[in-house]
Amino acid sequence: MSDPKSAIALPAYARSLGIKLHGFEGDLPVLTVEFGPSVEGRPQHFHGGATSGLLENAGYAALRTVLIRENRHPRLKPVNITVQFLAAGKSIPSFAQGRITRLGRRNANITVEAWQDDRDRPIATAIMNILMADEPE
């Protein structure tokens, strides 16, 4: 697939939370999730696991987009994912976008931000370290 926009296939976990492709900013995907019962933790607030799932999926979507552009199709294996919760997610839609901070032959480093009504006030961030294993021929 040469068109990264058509290659953002979200896994079943993301779909079960209601995570969807919102669009692209620049050349990287932005994911979104509406507030609802599947993501609610304490009343009227996003569950931390749902926020983490949004961050993780946005990071992988950004990495897959860049790899597809480079015609690379490795298996992606998480080495470490660190989430920082900065503010409670309220009962409004949340958005997230990943940014590749380093892309090597076997490892990738990604930073991800999640926000709600103000992009300049993130509710959570993540740092992801991903091992990229070549697919066997």
Side-chain angles (χ1 to χ4, degrees):
M1 284 186 245
S2 59
D3 179 15
K5 292 181 182 182
S6 67
I8 304 302
L10 296 172
Y13 170 68
R15 293 190 311 271
S16 72
L17 291 175
I19 297 173
K20 298 178 180 171
L21 176 64
H22 178 72
F24 279 73
E25 284 186 14
D27 56 353
L28 294 173
V30 175
L31 301 185
T32 188
V33 62
E34 295 286 331
F35 183 79
S38 65
V39 296
E40 187 173 29
R42 64 186 166 103
Q44 300 300 306
H45 290 83
F46 269 84
H47 188 280
T51 302
S52 297
L54 176 62
L55 288 163
E56 181 180 12
N57 279 284
Y60 279 121
L63 180 57
R64 284 192 308 269
T65 298
V66 170
L67 291 172
I68 287 168
R69 278 194 200 107
E70 295 183 0
N71 198 29
R72 294 172 60 184
H73 306 281
R75 286 180 294 154
L76 305 179
K77 299 180 178 184
V79 173
N80 187 33
I81 299 175
T82 303
V83 175
Q84 295 177 323
F85 297 100
L86 306 174
K90 306 287 193 237
S91 56
I92 58 176
S94 292
F95 304 88
Q97 184 177 39
R99 181 175 59 88
I100 311 305
T101 52
R102 181 185 178 280
L103 181 62
R105 190 175 67 75
R106 302 224 348 116
N107 293 293
N109 299 75
I110 308 161
T111 58
V112 191
E113 285 189 343
W115 67 94
Q116 290 189 307
D117 54 353
D118 184 353
R119 175 103 189 226
D120 293 329
R121 295 178 50 124
I123 61 168
T125 62
I127 297 175
M128 300 173 63
N129 302 307
I130 308 298
L131 176 65
M132 298 179 294
D134 291 331
E135 290 289 344
E137 295 183 20

